[in-house]
């Protein structure tokens, strides 16, 4: 990773009881439990998040990996395929039925209205989707 690339990461999932092998020697997260979902919030780190970090999450066996491009209000979601890389998603399999387009619309609304209004809109949309 390049120095100075800042991002925020979030990992979601049940502990599966298996530790990954060392994929990033010398870093604090050399041995980790693979989460079901990892999300990177990218501003200046977008290229790194889509390249190097995506390969790390593939190696770790994360089920899904999302990158939120804060500049474009875009969510780039990937399904990790065991030993074969990743492919783009339009709908989450980890958060069953959650469409990437809905997340992107929520991001756009959060830029146009206050966070409470955008959050309420998002919650109503999610509640209206069949589980």
């Amino acid at each position: 990773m390049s120095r100075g690339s800042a991002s925020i990461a979030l990992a979601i999932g049940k502990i599966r009881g298996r530790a990954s092998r060392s994929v990033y020697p010398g870093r604090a997260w050399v041995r980790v439990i693979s989460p079901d979902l990892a999300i990177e919030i990218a501003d200046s780190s977008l290229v790194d998040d889509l390249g190097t970090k995506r390969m790390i999450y593939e190696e770790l066996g994360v089920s899904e990996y999302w990158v939120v491009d804060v500049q474009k209000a875009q969510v780039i979601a990937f399904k990790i395929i065991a030993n074969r890389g990743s492919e783009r998603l339009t709908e989450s399999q980890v958060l069953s039925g959650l469409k990437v387009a809905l997340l992107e619309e929520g991001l756009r609304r959060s830029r146009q209205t206050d966070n409470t209004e955008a959050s309420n809109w998002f919650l109503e949309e999610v509640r209206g989707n069949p589980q």
Side-chain angles (χ1 to χ4, degrees):
M1 286 187 288
S2 61
R3 295 204 187 276
S5 66
S7 67
I8 300 169
L10 170 68
I12 299 171
K14 297 176 185 169
I15 295 175
R16 297 186 207 152
R18 60 181 172 83
S20 70
R21 62 181 180 269
S22 297
V23 294
Y24 226 10
R27 301 283 179 154
W29 62 322
V30 171
R31 291 253 183 231
V32 297
I33 301 297
S34 299
D36 293 322
L37 172 62
I39 304 170
E40 292 278 348
I41 310 300
D43 189 353
S44 61
S45 63
L46 182 63
V47 171
D48 194 35
D49 291 338
L50 292 174
T52 303
K53 287 184 184 178
R54 187 172 96 198
M55 290 187 318
I56 291 168
Y57 287 122
E58 289 172 2
E59 183 72 23
L60 290 172
V62 170
S63 298
E64 284 184 26
Y65 173 53
W66 300 357
V67 178
V68 179
D69 179 349
V70 297
Q71 299 294 325
K72 294 181 180 176
Q74 180 182 18
V75 178
I76 306 156
F78 298 95
K79 172 186 176 182
I80 306 299
I81 304 165
N83 301 315
R84 293 191 341 207
S86 56
E87 65 183 30
R88 291 284 298 269
L89 288 175
T90 58
E91 185 174 310
S92 177
Q93 296 172 354
V94 171
L95 300 176
S96 183
L98 181 60
K99 294 183 180 357
V100 172
L102 182 64
L103 296 169
E104 292 175 333
E105 179 61 24
L107 286 171
R108 283 190 284 281
R109 286 176 182 260
S110 72
R111 291 179 174 192
Q112 299 166 351
T113 63
D114 67 49
N115 286 339
T116 300
E117 189 176 328
S119 297
N120 288 338
W121 172 85
F122 183 79
L123 288 173
E124 289 304 313
E125 290 295 313
V126 170
R127 287 182 185 139
N129 290 336
Q131 296 292 330

